[in-house]
């Protein structure tokens, strides 16, 4: 590939097709040429035996030019194909890579920054909550720019189309509670109290929590992904630039829809869950449907329903707000959409369970 | 590949494009010679980009053939089509960079997928391609951090990743300032001269078309078929068709305003 004379002549031969691997040898070739070339020498080329070439050849010449410049050698490029020279002219010599020095931070600094970031995030969620409430009042007074059609669409997405999955989950949860309860209570001959167990557990806790978890995975994630994709397409920017309040147009219909449908789904989930419990109990124990029903009615007071119902409203608002907020804060790449959907589901589920714990503590303190 | 003496790089015959019942263009026929720069012209909404889609394998034509080096592209199996497509480089209108990869990773991905080069070689080639489009310092940035013009150039570097024989450009200079647009034109010429690539451009930027295209076709939105063939500069000077004249003179003759554009927003 190279030959020495008074001034160096580099003979380039054969095919130089990048994808066939000629690039692998470039570093070695350039090093060898430069090792043999004297300081300040002229390097000419002999391309008589050059075959087909593409960017592989250009890459080699580029590297050679950079190396030669470092040694103050001069390239006599006249013999090279005109096409290659034209491409070479496009290339600047490799500038030294400018890198930003990484700033090292201590553990305490990072911890502090993380804490501050979390605090800011919490404040932002509170602001969004307050904002949504204000806009909701605005909507009630008719001063909102929310589109009625959007609200109907959101209600359908968050309500009717969620019925099957809510039904399946609650039916199975009711059944499982009855099954576990039946196995234990049968040992004391307290078979009929299975109805109390299933009724109270479902109405107070499980139906509300399970429905909220299903909706966090189903609808909260969808809200985040939808809004994050809009963010990536600059649709949110377009809304803001047009002066359409993102609150009214995007967030309010979603929050209202989920806040409205969650308690209804809870009631529906309770009914299906009790049915599931009754099915299992009747199958396993010697209880008639009437006895089970009467027992449930005696055990579950209306206040239990009120408790579960109000929890559901809070869960619905939480899941919707988390989804919308996380979607709005997403970055602009495709993976940011995935990340925000994941975060919305995680925050939604954890939030629902944490909030449920708060409700439990409050209810205990208030003797509810 | 077919062993014809000098087969056209791309031969399109009797192509009809449609979305369902809605015909976009019919009876589209043209040849693209190897090493030429071919322009697909026409007003907004006439089906230029749709035609491009059928050439790069994204939209199956309803009728007609596309031959790549003599081989029927749409009659080939999916695997064969993918093989042929590897010889194509496409610059999409907005760059269409993969948003979760850095610019350098965008250029490297086709090489990682379709060659057995080692990382050092890929790195060198990526730097080379980025340097060619003037983005050597920006390889580590994410697409979202780039300006529109830079995104286009990064898209071009990615289109060049596998040293394609045919380059397709969808509106290469749309949305660029005149100086950057001029630089893009020169870059296209450099790539044609340097790599001997065949280049097909979809555009309605007159200045750049006159400067670089050797041949072309003019799609009419009204009759939904090509109404003129030839280099843009020749069409400008000699074509007698009112629609083409109006287009080439920026509507100055004003004769055919009614069929210059179509109602649908596709372009």
């Amino acid at each position: 590939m190279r030959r020495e004379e008074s001034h160096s002549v580099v003979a380039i031969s054969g095919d130089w097709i990048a994808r066939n691997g000629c690039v692998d040898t470039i570093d070695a070739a350039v090093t060898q040429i430069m090792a043999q070339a004297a300081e300040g020498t002229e390097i000419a080329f002999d391309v008589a035996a050059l075959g087909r070439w593409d960017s592989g050849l250009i890459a080699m010449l580029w590297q050679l030019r950079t190396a030669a410049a470092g040694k103050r050698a001069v390239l006599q490029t006249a013999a090279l194909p005109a096409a290659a020279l034209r491409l070479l002219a496009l290339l600047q010599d490799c500038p030294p890579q400018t890198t930003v020095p990484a700033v090292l931070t201590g553990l305490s600094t990072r911890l502090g920054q993380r804490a501050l970031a979390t605090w800011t995030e919490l404040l932002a969620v509170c602001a969004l909550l307050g904002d949504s409430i204000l806009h909701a009042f605005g909507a009630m007074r008719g001063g909102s720019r929310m589109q009625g059609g959007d609200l109907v669409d959101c209600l359908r997405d968050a309500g009717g189309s969620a019925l099957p999955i809510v039904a399946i989950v609650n039916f199975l949860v009711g059944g499982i509670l009855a099954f576990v309860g039946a196995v234990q209570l049968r040992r004391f001959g307290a078979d009929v109290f299975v109805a109390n167990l299933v009724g109270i557990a479902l109405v107070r806790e499980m139906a509300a929590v399970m429905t909220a978890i299903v909706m966090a995975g189903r609808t909260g994630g969808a809200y985040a992904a939808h809004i994050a994709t809009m963010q990536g397409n600059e649709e949110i920017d377009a809304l803001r630039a047009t002066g359409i309040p993102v609150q009214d147009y995007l967030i309010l219909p979603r929050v209202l829809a989920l806040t409205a449908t969650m308690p209804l789904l809870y009631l529906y989930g309770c009914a299906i869950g009790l049915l599931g419990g009754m099915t299992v109990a009747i199958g396993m124990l010697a209880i008639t449907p009437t006895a089970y029903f009467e027992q449930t009615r005696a055990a579950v007071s209306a206040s239990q329903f009120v408790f579960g119902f109000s929890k559901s409203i809070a869960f619905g608002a939480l899941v919707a707000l988390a989804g919308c907020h996380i979607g709005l804060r997403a970055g602009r790449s495709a993976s940011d959409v995935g990340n925000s959907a994941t975060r919305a589901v995680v925050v939604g589920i954890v939030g629902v369970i944490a909030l449920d714990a708060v409700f439990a503590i409050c209810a205990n303190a208030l003797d509810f | 590949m077919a062993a014809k003496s000098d087969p056209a790089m791309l031969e399109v015959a009797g192509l009809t494009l449609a979305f369902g019942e809605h015909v976009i263009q019919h009876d589209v026929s043209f040849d693209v010679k190897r090493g030429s720069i071919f322009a697909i012209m026409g007003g907004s909404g006439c089906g230029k980009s749709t035609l491009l889609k059928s050439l790069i394998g994204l939209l199956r034509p309803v009728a007609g053939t596309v031959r790549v080096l003599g081989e029927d592209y749409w009659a080939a199996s999916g695997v064969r089509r993918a093989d042929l497509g590897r010889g194509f480089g496409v610059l999409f209108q907005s760059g269409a960079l993969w948003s979760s990869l850095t610019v350098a990773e965008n250029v490297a991905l086709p090489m990682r997928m379709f060659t057995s080069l080692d990382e050092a070689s890929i790195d060198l080639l990526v730097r080379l391609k980025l340097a060619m489009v003037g983005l050597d310092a920006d390889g580590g940035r994410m697409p979202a951090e780039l300006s529109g013009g830079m995104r286009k150039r990064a898209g071009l570097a990615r289109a060049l990743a596998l040293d394609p024989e045919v380059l397709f450009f969808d509106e290469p200079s749309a949305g660029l300032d005149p100086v950057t647009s001029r630089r893009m034109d020169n870059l296209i010429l450099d790539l044609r001269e340097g790599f001997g690539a065949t280049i097909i451009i979809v555009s309605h930027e007159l200045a750049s078309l006159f400067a670089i295209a050797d041949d072309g076709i003019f799609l009419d939105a009204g009759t939904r078929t090509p109404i003129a063939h030839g280099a843009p500069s020749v069409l400008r000077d000699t074509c007698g068709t009112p629609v083409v004249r109006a287009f080439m003179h920026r509507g100055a003759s004003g004769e055919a305003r009614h069929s210059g554009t179509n109602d649908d927003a596709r372009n």
Side-chain angles (χ1 to χ4, degrees):
Chain A
M1 215 187 308
R2 64 234 137 250
R3 192 169 76 220
E4 296 293 310
E5 273 176 26
S6 59
H7 59 285
S8 314
V9 174
V10 177
I12 307 170
S13 62
D15 288 348
W16 283 80
I17 303 295
R19 73 166 86 185
N20 296 349
C22 71
V23 197
D24 301 351
T25 58
I26 284 178
D27 270 351
V30 168
T31 317
Q32 206 169 349
I33 292 169
M34 293 320 295
Q36 290 173 18
E39 184 90 7
T41 188
E42 289 194 352
I43 300 174
F45 296 92
D46 172 8
V47 293
L50 177 62
R52 295 184 309 126
W53 60 268
D54 65 1
S55 50
L57 177 69
I58 308 299
M60 190 276 283
L61 293 172
W62 187 43
Q63 292 297 85
L64 188 59
R65 192 176 68 181
T66 311
K71 233 180 162 186
R72 280 179 289 110
V74 182
L75 294 190
Q76 294 289 346
T77 53
L80 292 172
L85 288 179
R86 187 150 183 173
L87 290 175
L88 213 51
L90 283 175
L91 301 164
Q92 266 123 50
D93 284 315
C94 300
Q97 292 288 325
T98 46
T99 48
V100 184
V103 185
L104 287 174
T105 46
L107 180 68
S108 49
T109 318
R110 272 180 295 166
L111 203 68
Q113 279 169 345
R114 183 62 72 87
L116 284 176
T118 312
W119 178 243
T120 327
E121 188 93 343
L122 211 65
L123 287 182
V125 173
C126 292
L128 191 69
L129 175 68
D131 234 21
S132 300
I133 293 172
L134 285 178
H135 281 264
F137 279 121
M140 279 177 214
R141 288 201 312 268
S144 163
R145 284 189 198 77
M146 183 176 68
Q147 309 280 304
D150 288 346
L151 181 61
V152 173
D153 282 347
C154 290
L155 279 171
R156 192 174 48 230
D157 279 346
S161 54
L163 290 177
I165 186 169
V166 169
I168 292 169
V169 168
N170 280 294
F171 186 87
L172 291 178
V173 167
I176 291 164
L177 284 173
F179 184 77
V180 173
V183 171
Q184 296 302 320
L185 292 172
R186 196 151 46 177
R187 297 186 356 208
F188 307 102
D191 298 19
V192 79
F193 287 101
V194 167
N196 298 42
L197 176 81
V198 171
I200 292 174
L202 265 179
V203 173
R204 253 187 104 88
E205 296 292 338
M206 295 312 278
V209 171
M210 292 314 289
T211 307
I213 287 176
V214 166
M215 294 308 281
R218 196 185 164 280
T219 309
Y223 286 174
H226 184 160
I227 294 176
T229 308
M230 292 184 73
Q231 188 77 267
N233 292 339
E234 296 183 323
E235 290 172 52
I236 305 272
D237 294 348
L239 284 175
R240 290 204 169 112
T242 320
I244 299 171
V246 176
Q247 281 291 347
D248 285 355
Y249 183 74
L250 281 181
I251 298 185
L252 196 56
R254 288 179 169 72
V255 173
L256 284 183
L258 202 53
T259 313
T261 53
M262 192 77 95
L264 301 178
L265 287 172
Y266 155 78
L267 292 177
Y268 171 74
C270 280
I272 300 278
L274 290 174
L275 188 71
M278 186 158 82
T279 313
V280 171
I282 292 168
M284 282 183 70
L285 308 166
I287 304 177
T288 60
T290 323
Y292 187 91
F293 187 75
E294 281 305 317
Q295 187 71 19
T296 304
R297 229 179 50 170
V300 183
S301 61
S303 68
Q304 313 274 19
F305 274 105
V306 172
F307 185 54
F309 193 85
S310 26
K311 277 207 290 196
S312 295
I313 295 173
F315 291 163
L318 174 86
V319 167
L321 280 170
C324 293
H325 170 70
I326 288 167
L328 274 181
R329 291 177 53 92
R332 289 171 184 258
S333 79
S335 64
D336 288 330
V337 176
N339 289 341
S340 60
T342 310
R343 278 193 57 206
V345 174
V346 170
V347 169
I349 291 176
V350 173
V352 161
I353 292 174
L355 195 57
D356 190 52
V358 174
F359 270 109
I361 293 167
C362 293
N364 192 41
L366 295 172
D367 247 348
F368 194 67
Chain B
M1 298 279 163
K4 260 162 117 184
S5 56
D6 185 20
M9 193 73 218
L10 211 63
E11 296 164 82
V12 176
L15 211 61
T16 299
L17 304 166
F19 289 115
E21 295 284 287
H22 183 65
V23 173
I24 308 296
Q25 282 285 325
H26 62 88
D27 283 324
V28 183
S29 302
F30 60 89
D31 288 356
V32 181
K33 285 202 222 41
R34 189 185 269 278
S36 66
I37 298 183
F38 189 93
I40 298 174
M41 298 166 276
S44 304
C46 71
K48 299 190 294 292
S49 295
T50 312
L51 174 57
L52 184 75
K53 275 186 187 158
S54 74
L55 301 181
I56 59 179
L58 297 180
L59 178 77
R60 186 180 279 275
V62 183
T65 56
V66 176
R67 290 178 179 279
V68 180
L69 283 170
E71 187 170 341
D72 192 336
Y73 182 73
W74 283 105
S77 68
V79 177
R80 180 69 193 132
R81 262 209 310 282
D83 267 353
L84 288 171
R86 230 161 279 167
F88 297 166
V90 184
L91 170 61
F92 290 93
Q93 199 163 356
S94 56
L97 297 169
W98 295 306
S99 59
S100 48
L101 303 179
T102 64
V103 171
E105 285 166 346
N106 261 280
V107 182
L109 187 62
M111 297 186 210
R112 293 219 174 93
M113 289 292 178
F114 301 122
T115 69
S116 49
L117 296 170
D118 58 30
E119 279 304 309
S121 306
I122 289 179
D123 181 58
L124 173 62
L125 287 172
V126 167
R127 281 193 293 122
L128 177 81
K129 306 282 151 97
L130 286 175
M132 278 183 181
V133 298
L135 288 177
D136 26 351
D138 303 293
R141 296 169 73 180
M142 300 303 285
E145 302 168 43
L146 302 184
S147 71
M150 290 166 92
R151 259 180 240 182
K152 254 182 194 171
R153 282 185 284 149
L156 177 54
R158 186 181 69 187
L160 291 174
L162 295 173
D163 285 301
E165 286 189 89
V166 190
L167 272 168
F168 294 91
F169 290 81
D170 194 358
E171 306 279 4
S173 42
L176 301 183
D177 69 75
V179 177
T180 317
S181 163
R182 181 66 177 275
R183 209 174 291 152
M184 185 59 107
D185 291 349
N186 288 335
L187 190 57
I188 293 172
L189 285 172
D190 284 336
L191 293 173
R192 192 262 296 265
E193 299 302 328
F195 287 123
T198 308
I199 292 172
I200 294 165
I201 295 186
V202 167
S203 181
H204 47 221
E205 294 284 320
L206 292 169
S208 92
L209 287 177
F210 294 145
I212 62 177
D214 314 314
D215 196 2
I217 188 170
F218 188 95
L219 306 182
D220 181 39
T223 56
R224 302 192 178 283
T225 190
I227 50 170
H229 290 76
S233 50
V234 175
L235 290 181
R236 172 190 54 189
D237 299 334
T238 62
C239 187
T241 316
V243 181
V244 180
R245 281 193 70 79
F247 182 87
M248 293 297 173
H249 293 94
R250 296 180 175 275
S253 60
E255 296 163 74
R257 207 168 289 145
H258 60 278
S259 61
T261 56
N262 200 5
D263 49 345
D264 62 333
R266 254 175 247 110
N267 63 352

